[in-house]
Amino acid sequence: MDTIYGLASGQGKAGVAVLRLSGPDAHRACHALAGRLPPLRQMSLATLRDRAGETLDQALVVIFPAERSFTGEPVTELHLHGSPAVVSAVMTEIAGQGLARLAEPGEFTRRAMENGRLDLTEVEGLADLVQAETEAQRRQAMKVMAGALGRKVVSWRDDLVHAMALIAASIDFSDEDLPEEIVAEARRLLTSILGDLESELSGISAAERIRDGFLVAILGRPNAGKSTLLNALAGRDAAITSDIAGTTRDVIEVRMDISGLPVTLLDTAGLREAGDEIEKIGIARALSRAEDADLRIYLCDEAGLPPGLAPLAEDIVLQAKDDDGRLSDGISGRTGHGIPGLLARVAAYLTDRASQAGSASNDRHRIAMTRAKVAMESALLELDLGEERTEFLSEHLRQAAHSLDELIGKVDVEDMLDDIFRNFCLGK
C-alpha cells in the first residue's frame, strides 16, 4: 500500500500545523527530513532539511508503530510552524522524495477501517464529530465514535451466532429428541436481541435531530410579529419586518444553538386567505414545514389563531406584540418581553426529546437494523411452527446476521464508502 501524506490541521495561518504521513515509508520519509528517527511515540524537536541540506523548519516530530497508530500502519506526525509557506515547503519536499503521495479525502480514516482500527459506525461518528457545531452534537458523535453502537452490534451478533448454533443442533440431530431447554434458550436469545433492536430503532429519530438539527416553526396571521420575533431570537435582522401584512412570502430559516442543541427556526408566511398565487404558495409551504417541525410557536393577535389550526399539546401558544409586558403568556420581539421564558420552554422540550436518542443516528443504521428486526421476527415465527421449519428459521437468522454485519461495515458496504469518505477533509 502506498504511503500517503496530508495536512491534518486546518488550512491557513496558525501557530502549529500538523502534517501526517501513513504507510510503509512513513518513518523513512521522516528520517530523510530530520536525519534521524525519534523514539517511538515520543515527541522530539528536529530540524527538517531538504535534499540540498537547506533548513525547512524546526518541528516537533513523533512516530508511531503500526500496532499503536490511528491507521494501523507506521505513522509520522510533523508539528510544524503553521505558516502556509512552511507547510508548502515541507509538503513539496515530501513529494519530491518520491516516497509518498498526497492523501485523498478521508483516506487516513479509510485505512484505519480497513486495518480493523475502526468499524463503519465509528467512522461515521468521527465524521459527525468533525462537523459538530453544538455540545449535544459533540456528545452524540463522541458516543458513536467511541464504539457504543458497534459494541452493541457485536454483542447482538454473538448472541445470534449462539442461537444459530442451537438451531443447527436441531437440524443435525433431527432424528433425536432435542432438549426443550435448547429451544427455550434460542427463543430467549432471539427475543432479547429483538427487544434491543426495537429500543435502538425508537431512538434514531431523536439522534438524527441532534445530528441534523431540530426544527421549530413560528406561525400566525400576517403582521403578527413573527419576523420580529425571529430577528430577536437570532440576534440579527434575518427577516424583513414591516407593518405591511404579508411581507414574508417564503420560509426563512435561521440556525441557532439553544442550550447546546442545534435548532433551525422557521419564519413562515402569514396564514390567511391568500390574495395572489405567490402568497398561496408561501402559505402552503408554511403549513407543510410546520407539519414537519418538532415544535411550533403560535403567535395570536386580537383575532386569535387563523381558522383550521390545531396546536398539539407540546406546541407553544403566545399572545403576540405584548410590548408593555402585561400578559403572562405574552411575547414581544420588539421589547424582548417573554423571550427568556420562550427559550427556556423550547430548550426544555427539545432536551427531553434529545434524551430519547440512542446510539444509532442515521438512515443507514435504520435500514440495516430494520432488516435485522424483520428477519428476527420471521425467525421467531418459524421457531413457533416446529422442527419441520428449522431450515427456514436458519435462513432468517443468516439474513439477520448479514444485516448486522452490514451495520458495522463487514460486508456489502463498498458502494457507500466512497460517499462517506468524500465528506472528510484531506488530513482525516
Side-chain angles (χ1 to χ4, degrees):
M1 187 173 287
D2 294 342
T3 299
I4 56 175
Y5 69 92
L7 186 63
S9 52
Q11 299 286 339
K13 295 180 181 179
V16 175
V18 180
L19 192 62
R20 176 183 292 156
L21 298 95
S22 179
D25 286 327
H27 295 175
R28 183 181 170 198
C30 175
H31 188 278
L33 283 166
R36 61 183 177 85
L37 288 180
L40 289 175
R41 300 172 61 212
Q42 293 184 24
M43 192 167 281
S44 176
L45 182 64
T47 299
L48 307 184
R49 293 184 171 86
D50 62 17
R51 283 156 292 169
E54 183 178 345
T55 298
L56 297 172
D57 192 25
Q58 283 194 323
L60 293 173
V61 179
V62 59
I63 63 173
F64 300 89
E67 64 273 12
R68 302 300 296 271
S69 76
F70 170 70
T71 61
E73 302 173 333
V75 165
T76 293
E77 286 188 359
L78 306 174
H79 295 236
L80 311 170
H81 289 94
S83 80
V86 169
V87 172
S88 177
V90 175
M91 292 179 72
T92 299
E93 178 60 22
I94 292 173
Q97 292 174 353
L99 298 175
R101 62 169 175 82
L102 188 64
E104 297 176 359
E107 192 169 3
F108 290 101
T109 307
R110 186 163 189 161
R111 291 190 177 196
M113 176 183 163
E114 291 170 347
N115 292 325
R117 307 293 286 181
L118 299 172
D119 67 34
L120 186 53
T121 63
E122 292 169 328
V123 168
E124 290 169 320
L126 177 57
D128 289 345
L129 183 64
V130 172
Q131 299 295 326
E133 297 176 338
T134 70
E135 177 61 15
Q137 289 174 323
R138 182 194 67 79
R139 288 198 303 266
Q140 175 75 17
M142 283 296 301
K143 181 167 62 175
V144 179
M145 192 185 77
L149 180 57
R151 286 192 297 272
K152 289 180 181 179
V153 174
V154 170
S155 175
W156 296 336
R157 197 186 186 286
D158 288 346
D159 287 346
L160 185 56
V161 168
H162 184 38
M164 292 170 70
L166 294 174
I167 301 304
S170 71
I171 297 176
D172 295 339
F173 303 99
S174 58
D175 56 338
E176 302 178 15
D177 291 332
L178 193 66
E180 180 61 30
E181 58 266 23
I182 291 182
V183 176
E185 175 63 8
R187 187 188 307 279
R188 184 194 67 79
L189 288 169
L190 298 183
T191 302
S192 176
I193 299 168
L194 184 58
D196 288 345
L197 281 169
E198 290 173 341
S199 176
E200 196 64 43
L201 280 166
S202 69
I204 287 185
S205 178
E208 282 181 319
R209 283 309 202 207
I210 293 174
R211 182 171 173 265
D212 300 329
F214 291 93
L215 297 178
V216 177
I218 304 174
L219 298 162
R221 293 180 186 274
N223 210 23
K226 300 182 299 299
S227 297
T228 302
L229 177 60
L230 176 79
N231 290 341
L233 292 170
R236 60 185 177 89
D237 290 337
I240 298 172
T241 60
S242 169
D243 291 334
I244 302 173
T247 303
T248 301
R249 295 297 187 98
D250 205 349
V251 178
I252 297 173
E253 301 185 4
V254 173
R255 187 84 164 181
M256 288 184 62
D257 180 331
I258 298 179
S259 294
L261 296 170
V263 177
T264 298
L265 290 176
L266 307 177
D267 177 21
T268 60
L271 304 178
R272 65 177 177 183
E273 190 68 33
D276 56 56
E277 193 61 33
I278 294 177
E279 190 174 8
K280 286 181 182 178
I281 295 172
I283 291 173
R285 288 183 179 178
L287 294 173
S288 175
R289 294 302 299 277
E291 184 177 351
D292 294 336
D294 301 281
L295 182 66
R296 286 146 293 275
I297 301 170
Y298 290 94
L299 298 185
C300 298
D301 55 17
E302 295 83 356
L305 288 175
L309 293 183
L312 301 177
E314 66 269 16
D315 292 338
I316 299 172
V317 181
L318 300 170
Q319 295 298 315
K321 296 186 175 181
D322 184 23
D323 295 343
D324 55 12
R326 291 184 298 177
L327 303 174
S328 60
D329 60 348
I331 191 83
S332 171
R334 188 182 304 277
T335 66
H337 168 66
I339 287 181
L342 172 61
L343 287 173
R345 291 178 66 181
V346 171
Y349 175 73
L350 297 183
T351 298
D352 182 65
R353 280 282 308 277
S355 68
Q356 302 167 23
S359 301
S361 60
N362 61 44
D363 254 351
R364 192 188 71 81
H365 299 164
R366 177 186 284 109
I367 291 169
M369 287 195 296
T370 298
R371 287 175 180 166
K373 174 178 176 289
V374 170
M376 298 285 292
E377 290 171 338
S378 298
L380 282 169
L381 288 174
E382 299 290 356
L383 190 61
D384 290 335
L385 293 177
E387 293 182 3
E388 65 275 10
R389 303 288 296 183
T390 50
E391 292 188 12
F392 295 98
L393 167 59
S394 296
E395 177 57 27
H396 290 308
L397 294 180
R398 280 191 290 271
Q399 291 174 3
H402 186 85
S403 295
L404 294 179
D405 283 339
E406 282 185 329
L407 187 52
I408 55 177
K410 285 191 173 181
V411 294
D412 294 348
V413 294
E414 286 300 322
D415 57 340
M416 69 183 73
L417 289 181
D418 289 340
D419 183 63
I420 291 173
F421 289 114
R422 191 180 298 119
N423 295 318
F424 277 77
C425 57
L426 288 176
K428 277 294 184 185

